[in-house]
């Protein structure tokens, strides 16, 4: 089969489409023929060598995709050959086929196609746990979302609005401002503006919670929340976060929570339950999935460059 591989860490140019051995089904696993693959910033970090990566060179990146089960390693009461499935956390997905544990496979209903699933699962499940677990958003709360026009950001804005919150989006361009407003944000501020001050104007004293996926903005995020407010840190797209003085947390009664999806997806039932909620919102028209671009697997380097350009609005997909 063909797979997008790299032997060394570096820029998008290290990625090459190669012929590799196709996976063989084994007990507790299925071989999935992929129809769409989700590209995420974590894949960029792995390509650069500064994020955990499974295997040895040549590396095959990717943890998210959707397609059809081609073979099963053993009998299962849940899956059959030909079933449409997706996954958000299984490695080696940048290929035509991938071996996935049964536990990590999510059945797709007929109204969710492969591209929608690959564009929704990882970032949608992330937005969902951020809004329900890291900080349970309540009706009437004020919420600020960093990178509000990104893959997680657009979904998180919509989910926060579903919960009855007032949402302030933070973005880097006028085009992204328009996208965040279209997703339902009540107001959107550019990073070139004094956005912590704008957050205080938006909410009076400061927002109840801010979701920070940028990292380098963490101290400013604390400025944007009210006394007793909450900062949820879940990414480092803009660089490593600064150290936080616990005395500041004590003096301001503010809280800092870290978030990681892998600490939430602990069982097959949990994956399916959470995914089905996302699917239901999509079917009801309450959650819209935006695809920023589709690239053939052979053009994976171009897809990485596009994602790194910060010009994408929504999800970037690789198509085998």
């Amino acid at each position: 089969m063909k797979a997008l591989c790299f032997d060394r860490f570096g820029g998008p140019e290290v990625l090459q489409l190669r012929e590799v051995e196709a996976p063989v089904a084994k007990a507790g696993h299925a071989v999935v023929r992929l129809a769409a693959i989700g590209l995420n910033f974590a894949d960029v970090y792995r390509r650069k060598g500064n994020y955990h990566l499974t295997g040895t060179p040549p590396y095959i990146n990717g943890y998210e995709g959707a397609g059809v089960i081609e073979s099963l390693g053993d009998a299962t009461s849940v899956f059959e050959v030909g079933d449409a499935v997706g996954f958000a956390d299984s490695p080696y997905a940048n290929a035509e086929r991938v071996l996935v544990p049964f536990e990590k496979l999510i059945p797709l209903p007929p109204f969710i196609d492969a591209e929608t699933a690959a564009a929704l699962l990882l970032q949608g499940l992330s937005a969902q746990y951020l809004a329900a677990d890291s900080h349970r958003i309540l009706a009437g709360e004020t919420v600020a979302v960093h990178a509000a026009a990104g893959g997680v950001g657009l979904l998180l804005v919509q989910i926060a609005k579903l919960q009855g919150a007032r949402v302030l989006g933070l973005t880097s361009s006028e085009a992204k401002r328009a996208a965040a407003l279209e997703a339902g944000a009540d107001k959107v501020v550019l990073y070139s503006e004094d956005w912590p001050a704008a957050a205080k104007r938006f909410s009076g004293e400061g927002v109840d919670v801010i979701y920070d996926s940028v990292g380098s903005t963490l101290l400013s995020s604390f400025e944007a929340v009210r006394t007793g407010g909450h900062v949820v840190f879940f990414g480092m797209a803009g660089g490593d976060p600064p150290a936080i003085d616990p005395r500041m947390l004590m003096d301001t009664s503010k809280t800092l929570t870290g978030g990681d999806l892998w600490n939430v997806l602990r069982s097959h039932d949990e994956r399916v339950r959470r995914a089905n909620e996302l699917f239901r919102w999509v079917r009801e028209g309450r959650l819209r999935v935006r695809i920023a671009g589709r690239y053939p697997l052979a053009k994976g380097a171009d897809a990485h460059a596009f994602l790194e350009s910060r010009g994408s609005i929504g999800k970037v997909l690789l198509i085998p």
Side-chain angles (χ1 to χ4, degrees):
M1 69 170 186
K2 291 182 172 62
L4 190 64
C5 304
F6 60 103
D7 294 308
R8 58 189 174 86
F9 301 123
E13 69 279 357
V14 304
L15 297 168
Q16 296 179 338
L17 191 69
R18 297 183 186 174
E19 288 284 343
V20 300
E21 290 293 325
V24 177
K26 63 180 182 179
H29 295 68
V31 172
V32 178
R33 176 179 286 275
L34 289 161
I37 302 161
L39 182 62
N40 299 284
F41 267 104
D43 299 317
V44 172
Y45 304 152
R46 293 184 185 101
R47 189 203 73 222
K48 291 180 175 180
N50 52 15
Y51 205 63
H52 58 81
L53 182 66
T54 300
T56 58
Y59 297 112
I60 300 175
N61 215 335
Y63 275 71
E64 175 184 33
V68 174
I69 292 178
E70 192 172 76
S71 60
L72 297 167
D74 56 331
T76 166
S77 61
V78 179
F79 300 107
E80 296 180 358
V81 171
D83 283 352
V85 293
F87 58 92
D89 59 338
S90 193
Y92 315 124
N94 283 189
E96 293 178 326
R97 298 181 187 88
V98 64
L99 185 68
V100 184
F102 295 156
E103 176 186 82
K104 296 188 176 182
L105 286 173
I106 297 170
L108 301 184
F111 56 87
I112 298 292
D113 60 32
E115 288 194 2
T116 299
L120 173 65
L121 280 173
L122 192 147
Q123 292 173 336
L125 290 167
S126 296
Q128 181 194 57
Y129 91 80
L130 290 168
D133 299 79
S134 296
H135 176 98
R136 183 171 293 277
I137 296 175
L138 302 176
E141 284 192 316
T142 52
V143 175
V145 178
H146 278 278
V152 174
L154 286 172
L155 297 168
L156 184 53
V157 167
Q158 294 178 72
I159 292 172
K161 293 300 294 181
L162 286 176
Q163 307 302 337
R166 292 181 63 239
V167 179
L168 173 69
L170 306 173
T171 62
S172 59
S173 70
E174 289 295 342
K176 291 184 177 182
R177 188 206 299 264
L181 288 170
E182 183 183 353
D186 296 278
K187 182 178 177 60
V188 179
V189 177
L190 301 185
Y191 285 116
S192 58
E193 305 173 48
D194 185 352
W195 55 268
K200 293 176 182 177
R201 291 193 298 271
F202 177 76
S203 54
E205 182 189 354
V207 294
D208 294 303
V209 59
I210 186 167
Y211 291 94
D212 193 327
S213 57
V214 178
S216 58
T217 54
L218 198 58
L219 288 177
S220 295
S221 289
F222 275 104
E223 294 180 35
V225 298
R226 62 172 174 81
T227 299
H230 193 179
V231 175
V232 178
F233 165 65
F234 68 102
M236 300 169 287
D240 289 336
I244 300 301
D245 185 351
R247 293 171 300 179
M248 179 273 288
L249 301 178
M250 179 181 69
D251 292 342
T252 61
S253 296
K254 297 176 182 180
T255 56
L256 172 65
T257 297
D260 193 308
L261 179 61
W262 315 133
N263 295 324
V264 175
L265 300 183
R266 296 183 177 180
S267 69
H268 183 253
D269 288 345
E270 188 73 9
R271 286 176 175 83
V272 172
R273 179 185 69 79
R274 290 177 181 267
N276 282 341
E277 183 174 47
L278 295 173
F279 297 156
R280 175 172 58 83
W281 287 338
V282 170
R283 184 189 62 207
E284 294 170 352
R286 304 171 72 193
L287 188 65
R288 299 188 304 277
V289 180
R290 181 163 177 160
I291 296 175
R294 300 169 177 83
Y295 290 80
L297 194 57
K299 298 291 186 181
D302 293 341
H304 273 240
F306 178 50
L307 186 63
E308 285 186 272
S309 75
R310 309 291 178 177
S312 62
I313 299 176
K315 185 76 171 191
V316 178
L317 296 180
L318 296 172
I319 307 300

